Amino acid sequence: MLNEQTIQVIKSTVPVLEIHGTAITKRFYERLFTSHPELLNIFNHANQKQGRQQAALANAVYAAAVHIDKLEAIIPVVKQIAHKHRSLGVRPEHYPIVGEHLLGAIKEVLGDAATEEILQAWAEAYGVIADAFIGIEAQMYEQTEQQLGGWADFRAFKVDRKVKESDVITSFYLIPEDGKSIASFEPGQYISVRMSIPGEPNTHIRQYSLSDSPEKPYYRISVKQEVETRDKPAGHVSNYLHQEVKEGDVLWLSAPAGDFVLDQQDERPVVLISGGVGLTPMVSMLNTMVEKQPHRPVTFIHAAQHGKLHAMRESVEQLARIHPQLSAYWCYNQPTDLDKETNAHHREGYIDSKWLQSIVPTRDAGFYFCGPTPFMRAVNGILKEWGIPQSDIHFEFFGPASSLEPVGAEIG
C-alpha cells in the first residue's frame, strides 16, 4: 500500500494532470511505439490517429490520481479495462514497459515541475495500479482458458456465412476451424478479431459485440463498414472485412469478454436503446431474453438515419409479432420517401424525453443503451432527467471510454 506522503504528492498533481494529461499521454504513446514498435500489433491504430486512446488514458490517469487514497473506488474501471486487455493479449511483461514510458512522458511534458519526489511517488503508485491489473487479468486468463469450450490467446474461426443486414452492416457467422466446442458468453459481450492485411507490417485487432444469443454453434458479429467522413478516416478493418473477407476464410478470435452484460437475475422489465450499429449487443440481449426469460417485458428502441441503414429490423419485428411482451419502436431522423410511404417507422425525428416516457411503461426497469458517443450522451441525459437511478443505467462504448456528460437533447 502507499504511504500517506506518497498519496499527498500524487493528489498534488491532480490540477496539473487536468491541464496536461492529454499532452502526457500523447507523448507516452510516441515514446512507447518508437521503443517497442511490436506493440503496434496490439493497439488500435485508428483510435491513436483520432486521439481517442490518448484521451481515454489521460482520463484513467486522472481518475487514479483523484482516487489514489481509495483505489478500490476505481476497481470497476480496472475490471472494464482488464476485460479489453485480456481480449487483446496484454501480458504482465508489458506493464514495466508502459510504466517506464509513462514516467518518461510525465518528465518530458512537465519539465522542471516533475520533481524527483513527484516521479518517485508516481512510480510507486503505478506499481500498485499495475499489480491490480495484472492480478485481475491473470484470473480472467485462467477462467477464460479453463471454461468449457474456452481457449487462450487467439483461435482460428471460419466464416461460415456472410449476410448483408443493411446498406452498411454485414453479419459474419463464425465457426471454430478445429470443429470443437466454443465458449459461452453473456449477452452484451464482445470478441476481438485479429487481422493480417496483405502488404501491411502490423496486425490489426478490433473488438466487435456478439450479435446473437449464446449457446449457438457459432459466434455472430455484425460489422458496420466505416466510410471516410470529415471527422474520421475510413475504417481500415471494417472495409477489409466487407470487401475482401469471404465465406470459407479464416479469422482469428479471442474468447468473449466484457462487463456490459444483461442482468439475467433481474426479473424486472428491460429497455434496450440503440443507435446505428450499437444495436448489436442489444439484439444479443433481446434474443437471449425471448429464449430464456420469455415472460420478461422488453421495450426495444432503435434509432437510425433511415430504413436502408437499419439492420435486423425484420427479425426484431418478427419477434415482436410472436412475443406479446416485446414492444419494438424505430426512430428515423432522415426517413426516405419509401419509409414514409410504407410507414415503416414509428417516429420521424430524434428520440427525446417526452416520446421515450410515452412508450416506456415504467421507470422501474433496467435501461441498456449503446451507439455513437453523442447518441449515448443524449440518452444518458434523458434518463437522468427522468430520474432513472444510476444503478439501472447500463451502457457500452465501442472503443475507448469517453464522458457521457449531456451536451444536447437531440439524438441522431
Side-chain angles (χ1 to χ4, degrees):
M1 297 297 293
L2 300 173
N3 62 43
E4 185 60 29
Q5 181 179 355
T6 299
I7 288 172
Q8 292 308 314
V9 171
I10 294 294
K11 279 188 167 293
S12 74
T13 66
V14 168
V16 177
L17 291 174
E18 192 169 14
I19 297 171
H20 299 288
T22 302
I24 290 170
T25 54
K26 180 181 178 182
R27 180 59 187 142
F28 157 72
Y29 282 115
E30 291 170 352
R31 288 174 53 102
L32 181 69
F33 296 141
T34 298
S35 299
H36 294 273
E38 73 278 4
L39 294 180
L40 286 166
N41 292 312
I42 294 178
F43 286 86
N44 185 318
H45 306 176
N47 288 335
Q48 290 289 326
K49 290 177 181 177
Q50 295 174 52
R52 297 178 67 197
Q53 194 68 57
Q54 294 89 330
L57 178 58
N59 290 338
V61 171
Y62 178 79
V66 170
H67 298 289
I68 197 67
D69 54 342
K70 45 182 186 301
L71 286 175
E72 66 276 5
I74 65 170
I75 288 298
V77 177
V78 170
K79 288 184 176 179
Q80 182 184 57
I81 297 172
H83 272 284
K84 295 194 175 184
H85 283 180
R86 198 278 299 157
S87 75
L88 292 169
V90 172
R91 293 293 181 176
E93 56 266 28
H94 293 136
Y95 282 92
I97 298 171
V98 168
E100 173 192 348
H101 291 288
L102 183 58
L103 290 172
I106 291 173
K107 185 173 179 61
E108 284 187 37
V109 173
L110 299 187
D112 292 341
T115 64
E116 283 302 316
E117 183 182 37
I118 286 175
L119 292 174
Q120 181 59 37
W122 265 106
E124 291 180 29
Y126 177 80
V128 170
I129 295 168
D131 285 345
F133 272 103
I134 290 169
I136 290 172
E137 287 163 17
Q139 295 175 6
M140 289 181 176
Y141 276 111
E142 182 178 3
Q143 292 169 357
T144 299
E145 187 173 0
Q146 293 184 356
Q147 67 181 317
L148 181 65
W151 68 93
D153 299 318
F154 287 82
R155 180 178 173 187
F157 278 70
K158 184 173 68 174
V159 179
D160 185 51
R161 282 190 290 155
K162 184 177 177 181
V163 178
K164 188 177 178 67
E165 304 282 7
S166 76
D167 282 3
V168 294
I169 296 175
T170 293
S171 287
F172 297 80
Y173 290 75
L174 308 170
I175 59 175
E177 191 178 39
D178 59 18
K180 297 179 180 178
S181 62
I182 58 176
S184 186
F185 62 91
E186 294 291 322
Q189 288 191 308
Y190 55 81
I191 49 91
S192 289
V193 178
R194 187 179 68 194
M195 303 283 299
S196 294
I197 297 178
E200 300 195 0
N202 299 113
T203 57
H204 300 265
I205 300 178
R206 295 292 186 272
Q207 291 161 330
Y208 297 108
S209 295
L210 293 157
S211 62
D212 204 348
S213 54
E215 318 308 337
K216 301 286 194 301
Y218 58 80
Y219 292 143
R220 184 178 74 177
I221 58 174
S222 302
V223 180
K224 179 185 177 184
Q225 185 173 13
E226 299 287 354
V227 298
E228 184 176 1
T229 67
R230 288 185 303 173
D231 301 322
K232 61 182 180 180
H236 201 46
V237 174
S238 70
N239 277 276
Y240 187 79
L241 283 167
H242 274 254
Q243 296 170 8
E244 304 296 336
V245 172
K246 300 175 176 59
E247 293 179 354
D249 287 350
V250 171
L251 302 178
W252 290 85
L253 273 57
S254 70
D259 63 348
F260 173 68
V261 298
L262 175 68
D263 183 356
Q264 298 183 66
Q265 304 303 313
D266 191 351
E267 294 292 333
R268 294 181 305 154
V270 173
V271 182
L272 306 176
I273 308 172
S274 56
V277 76
L279 93 167
T280 53
M282 303 303 158
V283 170
S284 177
M285 293 180 183
L286 174 63
N287 290 352
T288 301
M289 280 187 286
V290 297
E291 293 171 10
K292 296 184 177 181
Q293 296 179 298
H295 301 295
R296 191 175 181 184
V298 184
T299 304
F300 190 97
I301 303 163
H302 182 63
Q305 287 183 333
H306 49 74
K308 291 182 178 181
L309 301 183
H310 184 174
M312 303 178 186
R313 185 180 71 195
E314 291 182 7
S315 62
V316 174
E317 288 178 337
Q318 183 177 4
L319 287 176
R321 287 192 291 269
I322 298 171
H323 299 276
Q325 85 282 7
L326 168 61
S327 300
Y329 299 89
W330 317 135
C331 187
Y332 297 161
N333 67 311
Q334 297 177 20
T336 64
D337 290 339
L338 180 61
D339 292 330
K340 294 176 181 179
E341 289 172 7
T342 59
N343 195 28
H345 64 289
H346 291 258
R347 177 176 174 81
E348 180 178 337
Y350 298 95
I351 297 173
D352 59 28
S353 182
K354 182 178 180 180
W355 182 65
L356 190 68
Q357 292 182 39
S358 74
I359 61 174
V360 175
T362 176
R363 290 194 307 174
D364 186 20
F367 291 78
Y368 297 78
F369 58 92
C370 185
T373 300
F375 172 90
M376 296 207 298
R377 286 197 186 107
V379 171
N380 190 56
I382 288 170
L383 296 181
K384 286 186 173 182
E385 179 187 338
W386 195 13
I388 305 302
Q390 190 63 48
S391 59
D392 286 337
I393 297 176
H394 314 276
F395 53 86
E396 173 74 311
F397 284 99
F398 288 147
S402 181
S403 171
L404 281 191
E405 288 303 309
V407 295
E410 288 192 344
I411 305 174

